[in-house]
Amino acid sequence: MSFALLLPAALAALAALLLPLLIHLARRSEQRPTDFAALRWLRQKPRPRHRIRFDEWPLLLLRLLLLALLALWLARPVLHGAPDRRPYVAVMPGVAQDAIDRQALPPQARRHWLATDFPALETPAPTDTQPISSLLRQIDAELAEGVPLIVLATAQYDGADAQRPRLSREVDWRITEGATPVTMPAPRPAPQPAPPRLRIHADHAQAASVRYLRAAAIAWHAGDDDVAPADASYTLHGIDDALPGDAREVVAWLGAGSLPPALLRWVEAGGTALIEAGASLPDDTTAAPLWRDVAGETLAEGATRGQGRLLRLTRPLQPQAMPALLEADFPQRLQALLQPAQAAPSRADARAHAPLAGARAFPQSPRDLQPWLALLIALAFAAERWLATRARRGAAP
């Protein structure tokens, strides 16, 4: 494991360590002269020895520690932990238990079903259709580079994409059932759907954010003069009349707080709504990450509600908070979020659909240490207040 700082310049705050030292020097116990008779035998101008002396040094050390922790917290420490190098075994639902037992698997390997949330192999096998290709890509992205991946596949399975998945590693692809390969015709490219129509509603506080959505919509409809790329309204009133009658249009709602009931009803009827980071999802809605940046941080999350979809940005539409706004592929990434591919799961032959290698490996996100430092800062502050209270009580006459 290795320790790193995302903002090392914040360590300049360590200069504040001088403050407790100066305070303790200025507030140390004052010497009060007391006259008594023997003083007349002393010299008129004694030469006392001056030395630096700190009173209440436990309190001083605790204050220095508190400031040092604050400076370290500002520097955003992270821990690049040693990744789990154990092999990963993914088993497709449908593989029989005796077929698993006959496989020569590493004894220390992690074993999971190739299903949503990757349940442990000791749990019952999922019975519903799984998006096998998407799950393989997710495993490849979450595993550290070089970790062996073993997949136990059935001869035929549902949940395949139109193309063979390409991963960043060689996969030990094992077919557990003997079957005649299915002759699969070459997949025909699916027709590209028309870009979505975007209707934007924003309050005055979010007026500056509208331009990024409008620029993306203009890029979708470049060369199409008959289609208005995006309609923008800078008011949150009259949403009932402003909602489109066609559920295929997308409504962007740039307003903080709770969502209007009319918008929720429109989504439940089959519409798609994009809301900003300041808007709150309904309590009964559980969102899942849908868009991540190169560092693995979630940029957008979404959930189904009724027959429609509710999408929520996790960052404000500002380049400082969301640098992806200034990237060249932002219009395409936004369109993929609003208009995902509608490819239905298809049956594939395991021999002809084995994953390919050669994709780019995903970087592993470091572990953020700020929450742990925040806990230490709270404990240090509580201890400092307790010692300071004791010191004041002891100094009281």
Side-chain angles (χ1 to χ4, degrees):
M1 293 186 293
S2 60
F3 180 82
L5 299 175
L6 299 182
L7 298 175
L11 292 180
L14 290 175
L17 292 176
L18 295 176
L19 294 178
L21 298 175
L22 297 176
I23 292 175
H24 276 253
L25 285 176
R27 299 186 61 182
R28 63 182 180 178
S29 301
E30 298 181 357
Q31 297 180 357
R32 298 181 179 180
T34 303
D35 295 330
F36 58 96
L39 284 176
R40 68 176 182 268
W41 305 110
L42 299 178
R43 291 182 297 174
Q44 295 294 329
K45 295 182 179 180
R47 297 179 180 177
R49 296 180 179 179
H50 294 279
R51 64 185 180 91
I52 298 177
R53 179 171 57 88
F54 293 102
D55 295 331
E56 303 169 359
W57 58 269
L59 181 60
L60 173 61
L61 293 179
L62 196 56
R63 287 174 174 172
L64 293 175
L65 175 63
L66 182 60
L67 288 178
L69 290 175
L70 283 172
L72 188 60
W73 183 86
L74 292 174
R76 295 195 62 183
V78 294
L79 186 65
H80 295 275
D84 193 346
R85 311 299 304 184
R86 294 178 299 165
Y88 194 98
V89 178
V91 182
M92 287 187 186
V95 177
Q97 183 61 45
D98 57 349
I100 300 175
D101 297 336
R102 289 194 300 267
Q103 297 294 321
L105 301 176
Q108 74 280 11
R110 295 167 282 173
R111 307 183 183 193
H112 298 268
W113 290 111
L114 190 56
T116 305
D117 298 331
F118 306 106
L121 199 60
E122 293 76 16
T123 60
T127 57
D128 53 342
T129 302
Q130 300 292 331
I132 298 298
S133 298
S134 299
L135 293 173
L136 286 173
R137 297 186 185 96
Q138 182 178 350
I139 293 178
D140 181 64
E142 294 178 354
L143 288 181
E145 187 175 1
V147 174
L149 175 59
I150 304 172
V151 178
L152 304 185
T154 57
Q156 290 89 25
Y157 63 91
D158 293 328
D161 294 344
Q163 296 180 352
R164 295 171 62 181
R166 183 176 295 275
L167 309 182
S168 65
R169 71 195 75 229
E170 294 285 347
V171 179
D172 188 355
W173 187 260
R174 305 182 185 182
I175 302 174
T176 59
E177 299 176 4
T180 303
V182 178
T183 302
M184 301 178 60
R188 292 178 298 177
Q192 295 294 330
R197 288 285 306 275
L198 187 61
R199 185 168 299 192
I200 307 172
H201 298 268
D203 57 11
H204 296 287
Q206 301 294 333
S209 303
V210 174
R211 55 180 176 176
Y212 300 104
L213 297 181
R214 287 183 57 85
I218 292 173
W220 300 339
H221 299 277
D224 191 353
D225 298 333
D226 298 333
V227 179
D231 300 327
S233 174
Y234 299 98
T235 177
L236 295 182
H237 302 288
I239 186 66
D240 299 88
D241 300 331
L243 288 175
D246 188 354
R248 291 174 297 180
E249 296 189 38
V250 177
V251 172
W253 177 263
L254 305 184
S258 302
L259 300 180
L263 180 63
L264 293 177
R265 291 193 300 268
W266 181 78
V267 171
E268 293 172 354
T272 299
L274 176 68
I275 62 177
E276 63 143 343
S280 57
L281 292 173
D283 295 336
D284 58 346
T285 302
T286 301
L290 297 179
W291 180 10
R292 299 179 185 271
D293 59 9
V294 293
E297 299 291 336
T298 301
L299 297 182
E301 56 187 7
T304 58
R305 187 173 181 87
Q307 300 179 4
R309 296 195 308 149
L310 197 56
L311 310 174
R312 178 177 176 271
L313 299 173
T314 60
R315 299 182 183 180
L317 281 170
Q318 301 172 1
Q320 301 88 339
M322 192 174 179
L325 295 173
L326 304 181
E327 296 179 0
D329 62 344
F330 172 72
Q332 292 75 22
R333 298 296 298 271
L334 182 62
Q335 182 178 357
L337 174 68
L338 302 178
Q339 195 178 41
Q342 301 296 327
S346 59
R347 176 163 295 234
D349 175 55
R351 294 177 177 84
H353 218 71
L356 302 173
R360 180 178 60 87
F362 287 84
Q364 299 297 307
S365 301
R367 183 180 303 176
D368 189 6
L369 297 181
Q370 274 192 326
W372 298 99
L373 277 179
L375 179 60
L376 290 178
I377 290 172
L379 294 176
F381 180 76
E384 187 273 339
R385 289 293 83 201
W386 180 71
L387 284 180
T389 302
R390 286 192 59 186
R392 285 195 298 268
R393 291 177 180 175

